[in-house]
Amino acid sequence: MYKIIFLFLIGIQYTSIHAQTRIAGTITDKEGKPLPGATVFLPEQNKGTVSDNDGHYIITSLPSGNTKIQYSFLGYNTEVKEVTLTPGELTTLNVSLKPAVIESQEVVVTGIGISAQHDNAVKIEVLNNKDIRQSGTPNFMEALTSVPGVEMIAKGQGVAKPVIRGLSMNDILVLNNGVRVENYQYSENHPLGVSGNDIDKVEIIKGPASLLYGSDAIGGVLNFTKEKPAPTGSIRGYYETRLHSNTKGMDNGLGIKGTSEHLFGSISANQKTHADYKQGGGEYVPNTRFNEWSLSSNTGYTGKTGTFRIFYDYYKQQLGMSVPAAQALATGGNRKNRIWYQDLDHHLINSRNTVFLGRFKWETNLAWQSALRKLQTTMNIPNVEMRLNTFTYESKLNFSSGQKTDYTFGLQGMSQTNRNLNERPSQFLPDADVSNFGVLFLAQYSPWNAFKIQGGLRYDIFDTETFALGTEESDNFHAPVSKDYSSLNGSLGATYTLNHKLIFRANVAKAYRVPNLSELTSNGTHGNRYETGNPDLTPQDAWETDLSAHYHGVFASFDAAIFYNRINDYIFIAPTNEVTDDDVPVYKFSQTNAKLYGAEAGLHIHPEPLPWLHFKGTWSTVTGKKDNDDYLPFIPAGKFRYEVRASKNKMGVIIHPTVKISALTALKQDHQAATETPTDGYTIVNATINGNFNIWEQALELTLAINNIFDTQYYDHLSTLKPLGFYNQGRNVSVGLNILLGN
């Protein structure tokens, strides 16, 4: 059926009119001087260009109707414009960019759709690829924790899970280019599932987003968006490498992309290899080594009728597990995975298509992914071998009735199968079939330019069927489970902009999450405990209220937010008073009502008399409690992050040199769950030096970063290695080289 629809859409392209719909103009600074090399990008068409030496630009073969355009240039504020293109005509749009003393908003695709970052009633943070690349850490997820309210549950440098405002695991939805990642993300022992290869930025929704994404978005969303295509008529490429002293690690990446007037494509590959990390003080943490390989490619067509894209991602991981059984057997400092490691393969094929029909825009997103999970112990065969196949689909019709109103109707669904393979010794989860179908309606209304109201409703049905596993009446028997769930969810929010500088947001949302396979049916040893599922679990329901404000001036910006999240039937795992015959403690999944509340704030100051100096600080705190006032597990400590940064446009042969000193202070966490112990506070200091060079007309970027300069011994409260007595990573010196080809 999908092939028929795809061929039909392609046919529409060739029967469309041949008149050229174009947009052109000139990009200048505030004094009217042209800005050569400025980037012009139309995200809905996945098409862009750069201005010439006179600041002129032109983009042809565009669809008619309303569209958003992003203008950006290094050192200047990004401008987001909305324009109506008339069929067969040239639209002229000249733009004057203002110097960016402090960075402004970006175009985001997460949330209400393609929009300016501050147009959303929910708080959306953006972390660019450059910020991640210069973070100096071998842990991809750790770079994201620079965003206030975002933390990670980590098992060393190779395994980390996101935490947003105190919620984690299946309460956070991870998207790869808008596709929900399904790779057994059931516990703190399982990795993020995204390589970071060929991404442009990470968009982070803080708070419930079930209206747009269904189950699992109860606490927030991480969307890893793909890099932009090369400018029309060009071929671009890169090679990057980073060396890490602490893990004896090396990261390598290579990619190339090209774009003609209608066709575009890219391919990139990435490899990471890291030995066991050294904790503060210099001792190795056994079997925390990890090795990863990834491949990403895409191709597509853009024209007057629409944009059609196909993506393929492959991700291979071998992640050492620092469990007691491995610690005496693993030789510290090695990088090859030999015993007790997760061997993971993940394939993802994704087709994203957009058809423009005047005021209507029809988007479809179809994806198939296959995740193979093997657990290698000390045997010659895997102890666990499972395959999870998932097909997801999404179709949305957007209608704009002018500048004031915008409507979206959509449907989303998923079909999933889990299968145990090859009769392995441990079958922790049973074979299962899972399906989901949801319909949604979203509306946006702007009674005047400074005020926007957003809201919508969504209805979902969810079905889980598992099959009997094991011998009936034995300890490891998995009884069959059949569960049908349904849920009505929605949100209502508003934004108000005062004097183009001060933005207020308010949002109320209801969200849900259905119990996953592990919570319903697990029965066996998982990590250092024996887990038993609970087939009587019901879906979690959350009601969250968010209030936030954002001020963006010429020399200062400020953010502040408060939130309260009430979760009914919160699912958690807790120890029982039982142990197995091997003295392994038995844990069981249960439910209770809970609440999470907290606040975040950030301040960025650029002193007017010192144009090269920046000060930045953020603060975040969250408290999580059950109704009986017991604290929830995996709640991060309150944290302060601050930095001093000096940068100039040019210093000798160095272009845009930057020196940054940053620090992180975590407060003592003594509001721990019953299964946890208190964690002392700590402060670590980092430094980064970065600059660009042109050598024989070749653009190079060099980065030197030193993390945990003083080799501080500390435990992060969310580290799962803390109960084993291992500190977080000690001092790490990293050197990065990024070669930009074709610029």
Side-chain angles (χ1 to χ4, degrees), residues 529-735:
R529 63 196 183 207
Y530 190 97
E531 294 183 6
T532 56
N534 184 349
D536 297 323
L537 295 176
T538 58
Q540 296 182 159
D541 280 311
W543 288 88
E544 180 173 282
T545 301
D546 289 88
L547 299 172
S548 65
H550 172 79
Y551 170 79
H552 198 101
V554 177
F555 299 104
S557 67
F558 176 74
D559 273 291
I562 59 174
F563 62 91
Y564 183 90
N565 195 356
R566 172 71 180 181
I567 304 179
N568 297 322
D569 298 318
Y570 175 81
I571 299 172
F572 66 98
I573 190 169
T576 65
N577 294 321
E578 302 174 359
V579 295
T580 66
D581 294 338
D582 299 325
D583 290 328
V584 178
V586 177
Y587 282 62
K588 185 173 182 177
F589 287 98
S590 302
Q591 288 187 292
T592 187
N593 294 335
K595 57 189 175 184
L596 296 101
Y597 53 90
E600 301 142 9
L603 176 65
H604 188 175
I605 297 176
H606 174 81
E608 184 175 0
L610 303 172
W612 48 270
L613 191 61
H614 293 252
F615 298 96
K616 188 176 182 179
T618 65
W619 164 76
S620 62
T621 183
V622 59
T623 299
K625 286 185 175 183
K626 303 175 187 177
D627 268 5
N628 64 1
D629 276 345
D630 287 347
Y631 289 102
L632 297 178
F634 292 122
I635 300 299
K639 290 184 177 178
F640 293 89
R641 290 179 171 85
Y642 24 88
E643 70 176 51
V644 179
R645 175 164 54 93
S647 59
K648 297 192 70 175
N649 288 330
K650 194 170 184 180
M651 182 181 293
V653 298
I654 308 175
I655 305 169
H656 303 297
T658 300
V659 177
K660 181 174 71 174
I661 303 294
S662 62
L664 161 65
T665 295
L667 305 179
K668 181 177 182 179
Q669 177 56 294
D670 53 8
H671 293 166
Q672 73 278 3
T675 57
E676 300 172 331
T677 59
T679 304
D680 290 334
Y682 59 87
T683 295
I684 55 174
V685 180
N686 309 316
T688 304
I689 302 174
N690 174 263
N692 295 274
F693 302 84
N694 285 322
I695 300 178
W696 298 304
E697 300 184 354
Q698 176 60 59
L700 305 175
E701 179 189 49
L702 285 174
T703 302
L704 171 65
I706 308 175
N707 289 359
N708 195 357
I709 292 175
F710 302 110
D711 203 29
T712 302
Q713 291 185 331
Y714 71 97
Y715 296 116
D716 186 89
H717 186 69
L718 302 186
S719 170
T720 60
L721 294 178
K722 175 196 166 189
L724 302 178
F726 295 118
Y727 294 110
N728 283 70
Q729 182 173 269
R731 183 186 300 113
N732 180 54
V733 180
S734 67
V735 179

Side-chain angles (χ1 to χ4, degrees), residues 344-514:
L344 309 175
D345 278 82
H346 191 206
H347 298 265
L348 172 60
I349 300 174
N350 175 213
S351 171
R352 298 183 65 90
N353 305 307
T354 305
V355 178
F356 299 96
L357 306 167
R359 291 185 178 271
F360 291 89
K361 181 178 64 175
W362 178 29
E363 297 178 88
T364 59
N365 185 1
L366 308 176
W368 178 85
Q369 55 190 304
S370 181
L372 176 64
R373 181 176 186 267
K374 297 179 185 178
L375 174 61
Q376 306 283 359
T377 56
T378 56
M379 299 182 293
N380 293 326
I381 61 173
N383 190 50
V384 174
E385 187 172 6
M386 295 187 297
R387 184 178 292 279
L388 187 69
N389 289 335
T390 307
F391 173 69
T392 55
Y393 55 91
E394 177 182 57
S395 182
K396 291 181 180 178
L397 183 66
N398 177 266
F399 170 68
S400 177
S401 59
Q403 297 295 322
K404 291 189 175 183
T405 56
D406 190 89
Y407 306 99
T408 299
F409 301 86
L411 60 88
Q412 292 174 332
M414 178 181 74
S415 178
Q416 188 174 74
T417 61
N418 179 66
R419 295 294 184 266
N420 288 279
L421 305 178
N422 299 319
E423 298 294 331
R424 296 309 186 191
S426 176
Q427 298 185 28
F428 181 72
L429 299 177
D431 293 350
D433 295 335
V434 178
S435 64
N436 165 236
F437 178 78
V439 293
L440 63 93
F441 168 71
L442 175 67
Q444 179 174 268
Y445 175 61
S446 302
W448 61 91
N449 289 337
F451 185 62
K452 291 185 176 67
I453 302 173
Q454 299 167 3
L457 291 172
R458 178 190 180 107
Y459 181 75
D460 279 89
I461 55 176
F462 215 102
D463 178 74
T464 300
E465 298 282 343
T466 75
F467 306 99
L469 176 65
T471 304
E472 197 167 354
E473 298 183 358
S474 66
D475 291 339
N476 63 350
F477 177 66
H478 294 70
V481 172
S482 178
K483 290 291 182 180
D484 296 307
Y485 306 110
S486 62
S487 183
L488 179 66
N489 300 278
S491 70
L492 180 64
T495 62
Y496 176 68
T497 304
L498 181 65
N499 296 329
H500 302 284
K501 293 182 178 180
L502 184 59
I503 301 171
F504 297 97
R505 293 189 189 87
N507 192 65
V508 178
K510 179 184 180 295
Y512 81 108
R513 179 175 76 80
V514 300

Side-chain angles (χ1 to χ4, degrees), residues 246-247 275-288 332-333 711-713 721 725-731:
N246 186 284
T247 58
D276 301 337
Y277 82 84
K278 289 182 180 179
Q279 57 186 322
E283 295 295 325
Y284 286 108
V285 179
N287 213 39
T288 54
D711 203 29
T712 302
Q713 291 185 331
L721 294 178
F726 295 118
Y727 294 110
N728 283 70
Q729 182 173 269
R731 183 186 300 113

Side-chain angles (χ1 to χ4, degrees), residues 181-326:
V181 175
E182 294 287 338
N183 71 332
Y184 299 107
Q185 293 191 357
Y186 296 145
S187 82
E188 66 272 18
N189 294 316
H190 300 160
L192 180 68
V194 179
S195 72
N197 186 23
D198 89 326
I199 69 166
D200 177 51
K201 59 182 181 289
V202 184
E203 299 176 358
I204 305 168
I205 293 181
K206 298 179 181 178
S210 284
L211 169 63
L212 294 167
Y213 300 107
S215 180
D216 297 1
I218 195 169
V221 176
L222 294 180
N223 187 16
F224 296 82
T225 66
K226 295 293 186 182
E227 66 176 351
K228 297 181 178 68
T232 301
S234 69
I235 296 177
R236 299 284 174 90
Y238 75 91
Y239 169 73
E240 62 180 8
T241 185
R242 290 190 295 276
L243 305 176
H244 298 269
S245 66
N246 186 284
T247 58
K248 303 176 185 175
M250 176 180 289
D251 303 344
N252 291 294
L254 179 66
I256 189 170
K257 58 185 178 181
T259 303
S260 65
E261 185 172 353
H262 293 290
L263 300 175
F264 56 87
S266 72
I267 185 169
S268 59
N270 186 268
Q271 175 260 349
K272 297 180 180 180
T273 176
H274 291 263
D276 301 337
Y277 82 84
K278 289 182 180 179
Q279 57 186 322
E283 295 295 325
Y284 286 108
V285 179
N287 213 39
T288 54
R289 64 203 67 177
F290 66 98
N291 294 276
E292 299 178 356
W293 303 264
S294 61
L295 174 70
S296 298
S297 62
N298 72 81
T299 187
Y301 174 93
T302 184
K304 295 184 290 293
T305 303
T307 303
F308 309 92
R309 293 167 285 177
I310 295 178
F311 301 86
Y312 170 69
D313 292 278
Y314 172 68
Y315 193 22
K316 170 75 171 178
Q317 294 177 287
Q318 292 183 342
L319 310 170
M321 300 183 66
S322 188
V323 295

Side-chain angles (χ1 to χ4, degrees), residues 22-26 57-59 71 90-94:
R22 300 159 291 163
I23 184 168
T26 303
Y57 73 93
I58 183 168
I59 303 177
Y71 298 88
L90 171 66
T91 299
T92 301
L93 184 58
N94 299 321

Side-chain angles (χ1 to χ4, degrees), residues 128-139:
N128 290 300
N129 176 273
K130 183 177 181 180
D131 298 321
I132 297 171
R133 194 171 62 243
Q134 295 177 6
S135 62
T137 172
N139 187 336

